[in-house]
């Protein structure tokens, strides 16, 4: 499992691809979240939304019968062509999340951290 280095006060993350839909000016957009924690996620997109934009998110967790509906705020972006190793996209922090949803996401992240090998990237095969 390839883990992202932790920053102070940052929830443990895991690299794992999940389908995610989010609201934008043009309606709902579907992309892939590639990094997930109990507190947020990183979405690969070549059209990141502006920092501080609040969006409605639908995150599909494996094994769940329905997507989890969340609200997120864009905390940083990485535009296409910007130097650095990060793929183009945007980081979102979950906001106004109830305890049940936060617990479900946290348990999913911890299960992945425990199950995935630590020597290979933790991406699934976009089934």
């Amino acid at each position: 499992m390839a883990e992202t280095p932790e920053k102070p006060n940052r929830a443990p993350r895991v690299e794992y691809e999940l389908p995610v839909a989010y609201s934008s000016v043009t309606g709902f957009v579907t992309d892939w979240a590639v990094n997930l924690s109990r507190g947020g996620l990183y979405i690969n997109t070549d059209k990141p939304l502006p920092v501080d934009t609040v969006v409605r998110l639908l995150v599909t967790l494996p094994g769940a019968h329905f997507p989890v509906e969340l609200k997120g705020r864009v905390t940083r972006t990485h535009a296409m062509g910007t130097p650095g190793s990060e793929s183009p996209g945007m980081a979102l922090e979950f906001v106004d999340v109830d305890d049940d949803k936060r617990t479900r996401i946290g348990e999913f992240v911890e299960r992945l951290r425990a199950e995935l090998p630590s020597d290979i990237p933790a991406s699934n095969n976009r089934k």
Side-chain angles (χ1 to χ4, degrees):
M1 159 184 61
E3 294 183 28
T4 302
E6 303 304 326
K7 293 182 180 177
N9 301 320
R10 188 169 169 183
R13 336 195 131 252
V14 64
E15 289 181 20
Y16 189 82
E17 292 182 347
L18 290 169
V20 61
Y22 56 94
S23 57
S24 74
V25 176
T26 60
F28 264 87
V29 177
T30 302
D31 275 314
W32 289 91
V34 296
N35 176 306
L36 177 70
S37 79
R38 175 175 185 230
L41 49 75
Y42 187 87
I43 297 174
N44 268 6
T45 180
D46 58 355
K47 297 178 183 171
L49 300 171
V51 171
D52 288 328
T53 301
V54 176
V55 298
R56 181 176 159 217
L57 294 162
L58 297 173
V59 179
T60 304
L61 297 176
H65 296 291
F66 300 99
V68 176
E69 186 174 336
L70 302 160
K71 188 162 57 166
R73 182 181 64 82
V74 178
T75 58
R76 65 183 167 81
T77 63
H78 189 81
M80 181 160 311
T82 304
S85 61
E86 193 167 36
S87 61
M90 58 186 171
L92 285 94
E93 167 187 47
F94 300 141
V95 293
D96 300 328
V97 179
D98 64 49
D99 289 339
D100 177 59
K101 289 178 183 175
R102 192 171 304 274
T103 297
R104 286 174 44 204
I105 293 167
E107 287 171 352
F108 176 72
V109 169
E110 289 308 312
R111 187 172 72 239
L112 283 176
R113 288 169 57 94
E115 292 175 0
L116 293 172
S118 60
D119 59 341
I120 60 171
S123 61
N124 63 10
N125 291 324
R126 292 187 186 181
K127 298 176 184 172

